[in-house]
Amino acid sequence: MNLEIKDLRFSYGSHEVLSGYSLSAGCGELVYVLGPNGVGKSTLFRCVMGHLKPSSGSVLIEGKPVNSFSPQELAKIVAYIPQSCTPSFNYSVRQIAAMGRTMHISMFASPSERDYQITDRELEKLGIGHLADCGICEISGGERQLVIIARALVQEAKILIMDEPTSSLDYGNQIRVQSLMRSLAHEGKLVLMSSHNPQYAMQFADKVSAMYNGRSIACGSPSDIIDSSLLMEL
């Protein structure tokens, strides 16, 4: 499954945030969009998900415009992990994570035993299986972020889009999540992750898109493009 972003442009009023961003990526790749805060990484991901409408350019999944998919169709293909989550209700960790199964369940049905088995498996992978019965409002912000990652994983989508997903995690859990994402990519998923940490990009990425002023100023394997001059520019 391929994701192609072509010459994407987006503005908030007169302020242009994306100024011709392009990227091509496919399943089996862990791709980092690397850049400092404020260069448009979150806006890019919102455009890719169809949450924002670009002024020009296109986002294609398997050659099909992203806005041509219904929400349910898109949810079976793409899972999105935001930077943070503020819960409104104190559902249990297992219930929150199991919400990722929604598109696999018919209307008015409840999650099946298999849905909960998939949920518990992903919670264990992320090291939070012991929190399954805890209320989401009763755990730390970092643990909450791991639950949101688990919710995305139980969708079993082919494409994972992650907006700086480890920024609120401690070092050990940062490494745990980065390693898991690399494994998932090498098992056949496409993982697109934003980051301002070049060390993680060097360590885990298959491809890096260096983003600045709303466009990709370099794209390729981390060993080929990340050097002192690029980091100075970023």
Side-chain angles (χ1 to χ4, degrees):
M1 185 162 289
N2 295 316
L3 172 67
E4 191 166 3
I5 304 168
K6 295 182 177 180
D7 197 27
L8 210 63
R9 295 179 181 272
F10 180 86
S11 299
Y12 292 106
S14 61
H15 175 55
E16 188 175 59
V17 179
L18 300 178
S19 54
Y21 183 91
S22 297
L23 175 69
S24 181
C27 285
E29 291 184 309
L30 173 53
V31 182
Y32 275 59
V33 178
L34 181 67
N37 292 333
V39 297
K41 300 189 299 294
S42 295
T43 298
L44 169 66
F45 285 179
R46 292 185 188 118
C47 287
V48 170
M49 291 297 300
H51 299 164
L52 294 174
K53 184 179 179 180
S55 56
S56 65
S58 59
V59 179
L60 306 174
I61 297 176
E62 289 291 274
K64 187 177 178 181
V66 68
N67 58 11
S68 67
F69 292 91
S70 70
Q72 187 168 15
E73 288 173 334
L74 191 62
K76 290 181 178 180
I77 300 169
V78 184
Y80 174 63
I81 298 95
Q83 289 184 27
S84 60
C85 172
T86 303
S88 300
F89 301 99
N90 194 32
Y91 292 113
S92 74
V93 164
R94 181 182 284 111
Q95 287 173 319
I96 292 287
M99 290 176 186
R101 300 295 298 168
T102 300
M103 71 292 307
H104 299 285
I105 301 171
S106 60
M107 191 177 293
F108 305 121
S110 298
S112 66
E113 181 179 350
R114 180 176 180 272
D115 292 320
Y116 280 118
Q117 287 174 347
I118 292 170
T119 299
D120 290 340
R121 180 191 68 200
E122 300 304 336
L123 291 174
E124 289 294 338
K125 280 185 184 177
L126 289 164
I128 52 173
H130 63 288
L131 298 175
D133 296 321
C134 296
I136 192 71
C137 298
E138 300 163 4
I139 60 178
S140 72
E143 290 168 334
R144 203 174 293 153
Q145 184 64 8
L146 291 172
V147 177
I148 300 308
I149 294 171
R151 185 179 67 185
L153 295 180
V154 304
Q155 283 183 230
E156 298 186 313
K158 276 291 188 181
I159 301 174
L160 297 172
I161 296 179
M162 313 181 76
D163 191 0
E164 296 190 18
T166 63
S167 58
S168 63
L169 303 181
D170 59 46
Y171 182 72
N173 278 317
Q174 287 182 27
I175 296 297
R176 182 196 297 270
V177 170
Q178 306 278 352
S179 298
L180 176 58
M181 292 306 110
R182 182 172 63 180
S183 296
L184 289 172
H186 294 174
E187 289 169 8
K189 293 186 184 293
L190 166 58
V191 183
L192 183 62
M193 180 186 300
S194 66
S195 177
H196 51 251
N197 190 324
Q199 179 180 348
Y200 286 159
M202 286 291 293
Q203 187 174 356
F204 294 104
D206 297 303
K207 180 187 290 184
V208 173
S209 170
M211 189 174 187
Y212 198 70
N213 287 336
R215 60 189 178 87
S216 181
I217 60 173
C219 187
S221 68
S223 59
D224 288 340
I225 71 165
I226 297 179
D227 55 24
S228 58
S229 63
L230 178 67
L231 293 180
M232 285 295 293
E233 188 170 359
L234 293 181

